[in-house]
């Protein structure tokens, strides 16, 4: 008879495993802090990146920003019967209305050579500045769902809005050049100074982007400021020499000085000089426009960036 005393029994197995400590493979391992000072180095999962990192994030999304702005271009006239034709008709109708009121009825055209191109350039290019300022008003609230759903630098919204306005402006600029040359009271020729126009317009875009940053920042704090901006742009329109010349204030040098400090007026004067009169703007005008563009863009961007983590809140 075979003796099975040497074979391990079931009880022996349990006895052998009694001293074994089981360790779960997913058991978290906490690292003990040696001192409370280490807590000072903890960083939030979400937060406002430093400006260099923030700019790198914007640059990494440049293709998406550009594609998004192109997709939204010319949307204002999308559902209208005449469609994109309104992009060209709107500035022509504006010029006709203001030309009738201020040129014929109020006689602000006196003393202004090439009044119709003068007026058209004023309406068109002040409109770009106006849309930049109003384009940022309510921008954050309008994109609140996107901001809450995705993690991205919020300044991308402002840059996309600026690029969208740029694409919208291309046919308007084209019709403006036609008006300057071929319309009644036009120049009938193209001056060599036209080569300076892209530089002026680029600085105007930078200035406008700063305004968009600023209005987006302000309206994210106090939504009612959007109404204030609407009234301000009306006042700004009538004080920027859109349909009159500052030569009528020759007996009031203080008024002329204040007008020349107005960036919108400076943009219009420089644009008219190179497109209509073939005159190179003086160095002080270039310096003033460059300073206005840099101050507007840098201050607007910094203010907007300062509230980066708060834009997702209601």
């Amino acid at each position: 008879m075979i003796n099975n005393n040497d074979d391990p029994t079931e009880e022996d197995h349990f006895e052998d495993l009694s001293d074994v400590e089981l360790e779960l493979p997913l058991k978290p391992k906490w690292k003990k802090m040696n001192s409370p000072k280490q807590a000072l180095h903890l960083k939030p999962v979400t937060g406002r990146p430093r400006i260099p990192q923030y700019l790198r994030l914007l640059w990494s999304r440049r293709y998406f920003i550009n594609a998004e702005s192109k997709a939204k271009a010319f949307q204002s006239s999308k559902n209208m019967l005449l469609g994109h034709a309104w992009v060209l008709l709107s500035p022509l109708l504006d010029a006709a209305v203001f030309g009738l009121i201020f040129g014929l009825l109020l006689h602000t055209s006196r003393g202004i050579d090439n009044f119709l191109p003068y007026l058209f350039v004023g309406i068109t290019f002040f409109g770009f500045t106006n849309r930049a300022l109003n384009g940022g008003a309510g921008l954050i609230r309008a994109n609140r769902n996107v901001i809450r759903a995705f993690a991205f630098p919020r300044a991308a919204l402002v840059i996309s809005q600026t690029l969208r306005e740029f694409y919208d402006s291309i046919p308007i600029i084209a019709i403006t050049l036609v008006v300057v040359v071929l319309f009644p009271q036009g120049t009938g020729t193209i001056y060599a100074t036209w080569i300076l126009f892209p530089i002026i317009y680029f600085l105007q875009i930078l200035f406008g982007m700063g305004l968009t940053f600023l209005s987006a920042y302000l309206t994210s704090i106090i939504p009612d400021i959007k109404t204030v901006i609407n009234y301000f742009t009306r006042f700004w329109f009538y004080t920027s020499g859109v349909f009159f010349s500052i030569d009528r204030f020759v007996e009031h040098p203080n008024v002329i000085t204040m007008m020349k400090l107005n960036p919108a007026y400076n943009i219009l004067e420089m644009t008219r000089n190179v497109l209509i009169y073939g005159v190179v703007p003086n160095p002080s005008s270039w310096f003033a426009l460059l300073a206005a563009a840099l101050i507007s863009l840098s201050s607007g961007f910094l203010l907007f960036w300062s509230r980066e983590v708060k834009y997702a809140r209601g």
Side-chain angles (χ1 to χ4, degrees):
M1 190 174 193
I2 300 175
N3 186 6
N4 295 328
N5 292 333
D6 296 334
D7 294 337
T9 64
E10 188 175 353
E11 294 180 356
D12 293 335
H13 281 291
F14 280 106
E15 291 177 358
D16 294 339
L17 296 176
S18 60
D19 297 332
V20 177
E21 182 179 355
L22 297 178
E23 183 174 347
L24 296 176
L26 298 180
K27 182 180 179 181
K29 296 182 179 180
W30 303 100
K31 183 178 179 181
K32 183 179 180 182
M33 286 189 178
N34 296 326
S35 66
K37 292 183 178 180
Q38 290 184 349
L40 298 176
H41 299 286
L42 295 177
K43 296 181 180 180
V45 177
T46 59
R48 182 182 62 201
R50 295 181 180 273
I51 290 181
Q53 181 186 0
Y54 194 76
L55 295 176
R56 287 194 295 269
L57 290 172
L58 285 172
W59 179 252
S60 67
R61 290 163 173 80
R62 62 191 182 277
Y63 297 113
F64 171 78
I65 295 172
N66 186 46
E68 199 262 352
S69 62
K70 285 183 177 179
K72 291 185 176 180
F74 308 109
Q75 292 295 311
S76 59
S77 57
K78 181 179 180 181
N79 297 322
M80 295 185 180
L81 184 62
L82 296 180
H84 297 326
W86 282 111
V87 175
L88 302 178
L89 291 175
S90 292
L92 290 172
L93 293 175
D94 288 340
V97 171
F98 285 103
L100 176 63
I101 295 175
F102 295 102
L104 295 179
L105 299 181
L106 300 181
H107 303 291
T108 61
S109 59
R110 291 177 179 175
I112 300 178
D113 297 329
N114 312 98
F115 177 72
L116 288 181
Y118 182 97
L119 176 65
F120 199 88
V121 168
I123 293 173
T124 300
F125 284 87
F126 183 85
F128 297 153
T129 302
N130 180 28
R131 284 192 287 274
L133 183 58
N134 283 281
L139 184 64
I140 297 299
R141 290 182 174 271
N143 292 275
R144 186 80 71 190
N145 292 334
V146 176
I147 292 173
R148 288 174 174 171
F150 302 100
F152 64 96
R154 313 312 187 196
L157 297 172
V158 174
I159 298 174
S160 176
Q161 175 72 17
T162 302
L163 286 175
R164 175 188 173 184
E165 294 294 343
F166 167 72
Y167 291 126
D168 285 346
S169 72
I170 292 176
I172 300 176
I173 291 176
I175 193 65
T176 300
L177 299 180
V178 172
V179 168
V180 166
V181 177
L182 300 179
F183 268 45
Q185 301 182 10
T187 62
T189 186
I190 297 176
Y191 295 109
T193 52
W194 280 31
I195 197 173
L196 299 174
F197 168 71
I199 303 175
I200 298 173
Y201 186 53
F202 175 71
L203 293 176
Q204 182 180 6
I205 291 175
L206 296 184
F207 176 70
M209 187 186 297
L211 296 180
T212 307
F213 273 122
L214 179 61
S215 60
Y217 163 79
L218 292 175
T219 54
S220 70
I221 301 173
I222 306 175
D224 298 29
I225 291 181
K226 183 175 182 179
T227 303
V228 177
I229 290 175
N230 288 331
Y231 284 104
F232 171 75
T233 52
R234 295 179 193 178
F235 172 79
W236 202 9
F237 175 83
Y238 290 107
T239 58
S240 297
V242 173
F243 48 82
F244 63 86
S245 171
I246 64 171
D247 292 339
R248 63 175 51 233
F249 301 110
V250 66
E251 297 180 357
H252 305 278
N254 293 332
V255 175
I256 294 179
T257 301
M258 292 180 62
M259 289 282 293
K260 290 184 176 181
L261 292 176
N262 179 359
Y265 169 78
N266 193 30
I267 290 170
L268 298 185
E269 183 184 38
M270 294 178 68
T271 304
R272 286 162 173 160
N273 281 338
V274 299
L275 294 182
I276 302 175
Y277 303 119
V279 176
V280 177
N282 56 60
S284 62
S285 296
W286 286 105
F287 177 78
L289 180 56
L290 178 61
L294 294 179
I295 292 173
S296 171
L297 182 59
S298 59
S299 59
F301 175 79
L302 290 175
L303 288 172
F304 185 90
W305 167 80
S306 67
R307 285 182 56 85
E308 177 76 12
V309 297
K310 299 179 182 180
Y311 292 131
R313 301 173 186 175

